[in-house]
Amino acid sequence: MARRRQTVTIKHVAADAGVSLQTVSRVINNEPNVRPEMQERVREAIARLGYVPSIAAQRMSGSRSYLILALNDRDRTIADWRARQGSDWVDQMLLGGMLQCAEHGYRMIFELVDTHNDHVERELLAAIAALQPDGVVLTPPHSDNPLIVGVLTRQGIPFARIGSLGQGGGIPLIMDDEGSARKATQALIDLGHRRIGFIAGNPEYSLSQWRVDGWRAAMGEAGLPTHGLLAHSDFSFATGTQAARQLLDQGDAPTAIIASNDQTALASLDVAHAMGLAVPQDLSLISFDNTPVVRFARPALSAVDQPVAQTVARAVDLIIAAQRDGTVPTAPVVVPAGLVMRESVAGPKATTGG
């Protein structure tokens, strides 16, 4: 039977280099006050033994944990996982966060927290005590939860707030939701649409109102009405279905709809088909998020491409900078989204002679 290879530890490196554990830790962490010749001995021992520094070794310096904690909403995340709805928010968050952490020699830990729980402070404090993170990434709706923000502020932990303007502390990052909604609306106006409906998202999320604001602004600048063209959802397929029916059942129905997420856009597509409306001939559709599922809809849905991975990666950079030297942006960091046009959009029949 083959012999199992022994794991190389920091103790082996220290013994091989003839130095203390603390000296090895200082070299690993690129800390000052280590003589050049001592650094060289330690690095040669690391290379010779094939040692890979562990988080435990890095923590020995006592100043950093090399862990970034990312929080996501428990109820919505678990509901999406169980429904297997194809939402990839968590995947994109981990993609951007984990890869960027690795670039800095950090690790990302992912936790689910119930923002509606009265014990959210206790829950968060327990996670902080166990992990001692160097920073925390908050995602909506946690980003604007005063209890969570208050705990992190009192603990003195750098934290990023995605989808927040940052009132009350932290590092705010936004994905230009208002500008993206304005861009999507303008694209439809440019095609000749004059009655453009909008399905708003969950009001607990600040970005839901920002998207409505962008739609209203574009419509107003074009001198187009919005009365009777706004419906509401909680981001679910069921409420998206209700919102789409509300918009399409009226006498002067919209010729285009912008939905605040992919689930409500898919619901709108389903309602249109049930009502005998062809997309995009009778109704154009644009979604927000651009998760994989919209590419496989029939027709494939146009969508605002939310830069989740890039935003979380930027949040990691900013947290590490804040932890290192206190550098914090003075204004919200904007990570712009893109607009991907697919087969679900065309000019209205009135402008195409249909």
Side-chain angles (χ1 to χ4, degrees), residues 173-195:
L173 298 97
I174 57 177
M175 292 182 276
D176 195 20
D177 292 273
E178 182 173 345
S180 296
R182 182 191 291 260
K183 182 187 297 184
T185 306
Q186 189 61 52
L188 293 168
I189 293 172
D190 291 343
L191 286 171
H193 291 278
R194 294 297 176 261
R195 288 189 60 77

Side-chain angles (χ1 to χ4, degrees), residues 73-153:
D73 185 49
R74 175 183 288 132
D75 287 349
R76 182 167 294 278
T77 301
I78 291 176
D80 285 346
W81 283 344
R82 286 176 172 163
R84 303 178 73 174
Q85 292 178 334
S87 173
D88 68 345
W89 168 274
V90 173
D91 292 346
Q92 290 298 305
M93 184 174 72
L94 294 177
L95 171 65
M98 293 177 74
L99 291 182
Q100 199 64 18
C101 278
E103 288 289 323
H104 295 281
Y106 280 65
R107 299 292 184 272
M108 174 165 278
I109 304 294
F110 177 66
E111 290 279 332
L112 298 178
V113 175
D114 184 2
T115 197
H116 301 107
N117 190 332
D118 292 338
H119 304 298
V120 66
E121 292 177 275
R122 186 171 65 190
E123 189 176 353
L124 181 55
L125 285 170
I128 291 171
L131 299 170
Q132 299 178 14
D134 284 339
V136 177
V137 177
L138 301 180
T139 58
H142 297 324
S143 303
D144 285 321
N145 184 316
L147 297 178
I148 293 175
V149 169
V151 166
L152 295 175
T153 301

Side-chain angles (χ1 to χ4, degrees), residues 22 55 75 98 120 168 170 173 239 248 254 257-258 261 291 312 326 331 338 353:
Q22 288 77 11
I55 291 175
D75 287 349
M98 293 177 74
V120 66
L173 298 97
T239 58
L248 295 174
I257 291 177
I258 301 172
N261 74 328
T291 58
V312 177

